[in-house]
Every structure is written in C-alpha cells, then in structure tokens.
Amino acid sequence: MPRPITLAGAQLGPIHKADSRESVVKRLCDLLRRAHAKGAHLCVFPELALTTFFPRWYMEGQQEVDTWFEEEMPNAATRPLFELAASLKIGFYLGYAEKCVENGETHRYNTAILVDRDGKIVGKYRKVHLPGHSEFVPSYPWQHLEKRYFEVGNLGFPVWRTMGGVMGMCICNDRRWPETYRVMGLKGAEVIMLGYNTPTANRESNTIEPPHLRMMHNQMSMQMGAYQNGCWVVGVAKAGAEDGFDMMGGSVICAPSGEIVAMARTVGDELISVDADLDECTFNKTTIFNFAAHRRPEAYGIITAQAGATPPPEGEE
Ligand code: CDV
C-alpha cells in the first residue's frame, strides 16, 4: 500500500564566522517555508547548521570553543524555527554542536536531532565517525579538529518510528561507512537523513583526489547506502566558501533503488524535494536484500571484533 511522504533537503550556502545564530535561523526558516510550498512533510538541514564549520579553526581556550556549542535545544535563537515548523506541520533534522551535562560530567558532541510535525524532539543522534585530528598541524591550509572538540557519539545508530515511517540519522563522515547504514537497515530504517560539511579539495592531495572524485565519493556512498538497505537517503550539504574555505554542495535525495532522484545545482541556500513513497523500500527489503533470508552473520564477526585491517604476514604467498 502506498505510503506517500514528501522529503526535502535544505542545503545551506556558506555561514561565516561572524554570522549570528539569529541570521542563520532566518535562513533556515526561509528554506522551511520553501519546503512547505513544495508540500514537504520532512526537511533535512546540514551538519552544524547553526554556525560556520568551526572545527577548521584551532582554538586553545575552552571558553572560546564553547561559543560554538548549544547548551539547550530549542533555545532563544532556534525557537522561531521550532515554532514555524510546528505551525507548518513539517518535521525536520537539524545538526548542531551539543554541550550537555550527563551524570555530573560535561560532554560535547556533534549532534543531530529529529523534530516531529508538532515541533517535538523525537530523536537524537551523536556522530560516531569523527574525522580529522586533535592537534594543530602547521602544514595544513586548514584544520579539521573534530577529534579535539567532540567526543565520539554514545547513542549508537538508533531509529524511530515516527511521521509514518522508520527514520534514522547519521552525520557527514558517517555516510562513507557501510556499517552506518547497515546497523540502521537492520532496524528497518526507511529514511536515513544526514547533513555534511565537506571541503571541496583534499588538503593532503588534490592530485590523487581531485574535486570531481570527492563529489563522486560523496554521492556514491549515499546511493549505495540507500540501495543496499532499501531505504531513502537524504544527504544535505553546507556548501560554498565559508570565510574563503570552499565546501562542496551536491545535496541529494536517493531512492531505495540507489538512484539520485533530486540533486542541488548550486552551492548556496537551495531546496530540493521529492514526492516519495515509503513503500518503495519494500522491493529491495524483500528481494535481493531480504536480510533474514540471505545475510550470514556467522561470517561477519571480524567487523565488530576489530577496527584496523590485519592482512596476512608478507612472504606468505
Ligand atoms: N564533517 C566531516 O565529517 N567531513 C568529512 C571530511 C573531513 C572528509 C567528510 O567525510 O566529508
């Protein structure tokens, strides 16, 4: 039986260091209105959508670092977005830097929340695959200090039955890892949402990995995640030059077939949308990727037992 849902991706152009939360939230609200005009039920915003991608900047003082974090959600700056979404009856995914106190200890995560069509937070995900490094590297033209500013997410990859389907979330670098999608696929995910901040260039080698390959890897990862798990994937960029640092666009919506069915054309604020059907997940989930019939967990133990690769010793040919 068809289960229609209109999915939207709200790509953001650059957010500069000097831009206030309030000015960004105005842009988010504008995109949400555009999503509403398209009949969207669910709208996905990028990773760290309220600020510039601050992990490119090296900071030593925790006080300065904390200016990029949110201590509550919603808060004064983001409340207008929650209120607008509730009045328009649109659910949304929002990425932000989360500072929280749990069991008496302060923690900081790269977080995404899922808000339902009544403006209520129904899900939280904390980024598991943190790329980059924790110390300043003088030879790099920009830093990627996620390992300095965030802890590894402690919530796993949950899914939620809400808004008529089974919804899952991940964040940016997570999209490159098949385990991300498969864990949620095993929980029946029908829509996987993600936001990303990805530099256009590889600062370590623009020869080995030129921008066109980076875009291919971006889209290929999401297409395979959708296909191999029979689910919709909505991947949304923060794009364009943030204070001179170029970030790729290429936001997409992938169908459970693995096809890209909507794609952003700019590196600015841009809305993409698709009139989707959650029932389209059924074909893959009951045929080639019928997990219960065809998976062989007894052969997969190494995947959770170790992180690094262990090839046989050299000279064993
Ligand atoms: N924000 C990210 O996680 N960015 C990474 C970059 C560093 C490669 C990504 O996987 O897109």
Side-chain angles (χ1 to χ4, degrees):
M1 205 175 67
R3 286 185 293 141
I5 182 169
T6 299
L7 301 170
Q11 178 176 284
L12 281 173
I15 301 175
H16 305 295
K17 255 182 140 176
D19 293 345
S20 68
R21 306 280 208 283
E22 287 74 14
S23 71
V24 175
V25 169
K26 276 201 182 102
R27 288 164 62 186
L28 301 181
C29 288
D30 184 46
L31 285 159
L32 204 68
R33 283 189 201 95
R34 286 195 240 167
H36 177 64
K38 296 272 183 197
H41 300 100
L42 185 53
C43 182
V44 179
F45 293 111
E47 172 192 34
L48 299 178
L50 300 173
T51 66
T52 195
F53 188 72
F54 67 85
R56 76 166 65 85
W57 304 104
Y58 179 71
M59 294 169 274
E60 274 178 353
Q62 195 58 55
Q63 231 182 330
E64 184 187 357
V65 175
D66 280 346
T67 61
W68 301 104
F69 282 75
E70 317 300 320
E71 293 188 30
E72 51 173 1
M73 191 57 65
N75 54 28
T78 55
R79 196 156 289 116
L81 177 69
F82 281 70
E83 288 171 359
L84 179 66
S87 74
L88 299 177
K89 290 275 172 214
I90 304 186
F92 66 91
Y93 163 116
L94 180 74
Y96 64 99
E98 177 194 14
K99 180 181 172 189
C100 60
V101 177
E102 283 178 351
N103 300 322
E105 283 178 14
T106 300
H107 300 276
R108 294 171 186 82
Y109 299 103
N110 188 340
T111 292
I113 47 167
L114 181 60
V115 178
D116 73 9
R117 300 179 71 192
D118 295 318
K120 192 171 125 235
I121 296 175
V122 289
K124 179 178 277 190
Y125 168 73
R126 291 169 173 159
K127 187 172 181 178
V128 166
H129 298 100
L130 295 177
H133 45 104
S134 51
E135 295 305 326
F136 183 73
V137 181
S139 59
Y140 287 162
W142 64 85
Q143 307 294 306
H144 194 108
L145 291 157
E146 285 196 60
K147 283 188 160 67
R148 181 179 187 84
Y149 302 136
F150 302 118
E151 288 172 60
V152 172
N154 60 350
L155 302 174
F157 292 100
V159 301
W160 300 268
R161 191 175 281 286
T162 179
M163 293 178 267
V166 182
M167 309 288 171
M169 300 191 280
C170 64
I171 300 177
C172 195
N173 190 262
D174 288 322
R175 76 194 185 287
R176 303 183 191 274
W177 299 89
E179 295 87 346
T180 297
Y181 303 92
R182 183 48 50 91
V183 170
M184 288 188 270
L186 282 166
K187 298 177 182 178
E190 295 175 311
V191 181
I192 293 179
M193 291 158 266
L194 65 99
Y196 60 91
N197 281 267
T198 303
T200 306
N202 183 334
R203 69 180 168 211
E204 280 149 302
S205 173
N206 213 15
T207 313
I208 295 172
E209 200 186 33
H212 76 275
L213 270 190
R214 287 171 70 78
M215 183 59 85
M216 185 186 89
H217 298 151
N218 170 49
Q219 295 180 341
M220 191 169 72
S221 310
M222 293 188 271
Q223 289 180 262
M224 291 313 288
Y227 167 62
Q228 292 174 339
N229 296 280
C231 62
W232 293 87
V233 172
V234 186
V236 179
K238 175 129 66 57
E242 287 194 334
D243 292 306
F245 297 95
D246 257 322
M247 312 290 280
M248 70 165 63
S251 302
V252 288
I253 301 178
C254 303
S257 60
E259 290 164 288
I260 292 176
V261 290
M263 179 159 61
R265 298 163 58 217
T266 71
V267 286
D269 290 10
E270 181 179 343
L271 190 92
I272 58 173
S273 70
V274 160
D275 294 327
D277 180 355
L278 295 180
D279 198 49
E280 273 183 53
C281 302
T282 307
F283 179 70
N284 267 16
K285 284 187 193 293
T286 55
T287 56
I288 191 85
F289 293 114
N290 179 338
F291 292 165
H294 307 305
R295 285 186 78 252
R296 290 283 160 232
E298 69 276 12
Y300 308 151
I302 192 170
I303 287 179
T304 52
Q306 67 185 59
T310 49
E314 287 196 28
E316 271 203 355
E317 282 171 48

